[in-house]
């Protein structure tokens, strides 16, 4: 940890491709996350120095929230199995009701294209959830 973190440039030279490439945004966030010493500071300071071309991207990234999407579908069978064993889910309808209480369902309604849902008509949503549960 440090009181001040300065990131001088967000590119590195990739010898395999013989060109400069951007750091993954997660790496930049990790570097910024080192700012602030809990025992001494109430806040940390991070400065990013980039070329003008990238300035707008980083300003937008840092000051505007970006959505976090659900990964529930990739592990849904594990969750369903656990709920079935616990007795929470006994029928297909209860499984569909269970889905409507998840973060996945909230994101499905806000960003249907990400989950390959065509539109938000009730019938299409019910068919989509039914196909997931089947």
């Amino acid at each position: 940890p440090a009181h001040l973190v300065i990131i001088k440039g967000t590119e590195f030279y990739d010898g395999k491709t013989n060109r400069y490439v951007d750091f993954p945004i997660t790496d930049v966030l990790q570097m910024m996350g080192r700012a602030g010493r809990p025992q001494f500071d109430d806040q940390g300071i991070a400065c990013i120095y980039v070329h003008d071309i990238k300035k707008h991207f980083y300003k937008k990234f840092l000051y505007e929230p970006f959505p976090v999407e659900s990964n529930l579908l990739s592990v849904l069978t594990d969750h369903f199995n656990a709920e079935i064993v616990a007795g929470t889910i006994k029928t297909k309808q209860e499984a569909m009701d269970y889905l409507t209480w998840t973060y996945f369902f909230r994101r499905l309604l806000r960003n249907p294209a990400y989950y390959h849902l065509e539109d938000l008509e009730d019938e299409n949503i019910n068919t989509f959830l039914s196909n997931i549960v089947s």
Side-chain angles (χ1 to χ4, degrees):
H3 174 73
L4 170 66
V5 171
I6 298 174
I7 301 170
K8 186 176 176 255
T10 56
E11 298 178 44
F12 67 95
Y13 184 77
D14 183 6
K16 291 180 183 177
T17 60
N18 292 326
R19 64 186 183 100
Y20 284 91
V21 294
D22 290 323
F23 281 118
I25 198 68
T26 52
D27 288 359
V28 175
L29 288 174
Q30 175 66 27
M31 289 184 252
M32 290 174 56
R34 303 302 296 163
R37 301 168 298 171
Q39 66 272 29
F40 301 114
D41 303 323
D42 292 336
Q43 60 185 0
I45 300 169
C47 297
I48 302 176
Y49 294 99
V50 295
H51 296 286
D52 282 338
I53 299 167
K54 296 180 184 178
K55 184 177 178 181
H56 177 69
F57 168 78
Y58 280 100
K59 271 190 170 182
K60 181 176 175 153
F61 181 79
L62 293 173
Y63 294 114
E64 294 180 19
F66 58 97
V68 176
E69 299 300 340
S70 172
N71 286 318
L72 179 63
L73 290 180
S74 64
V75 292
L76 187 59
T77 53
D78 294 335
H79 286 269
F80 275 162
N81 285 335
E83 297 299 332
I84 290 168
V85 169
T88 308
I89 296 176
K90 298 181 186 93
T91 66
K92 182 177 178 180
Q93 183 59 48
E94 287 178 346
M96 289 180 61
D97 291 343
Y98 173 86
L99 279 177
T100 64
W101 286 95
T102 62
Y103 181 70
F104 157 73
F105 186 72
R106 301 290 176 262
R107 290 306 308 159
L108 176 68
L109 298 180
R110 299 283 295 201
N111 191 4
Y114 182 84
Y115 302 98
H116 309 292
L117 177 62
E118 304 262 334
D119 59 55
L120 291 175
E121 292 181 22
D122 288 344
E123 185 176 323
N124 289 341
I125 293 172
N126 285 335
T127 302
F128 183 80
L129 294 178
S130 183
N131 289 339
I132 289 172
V133 170
S134 296

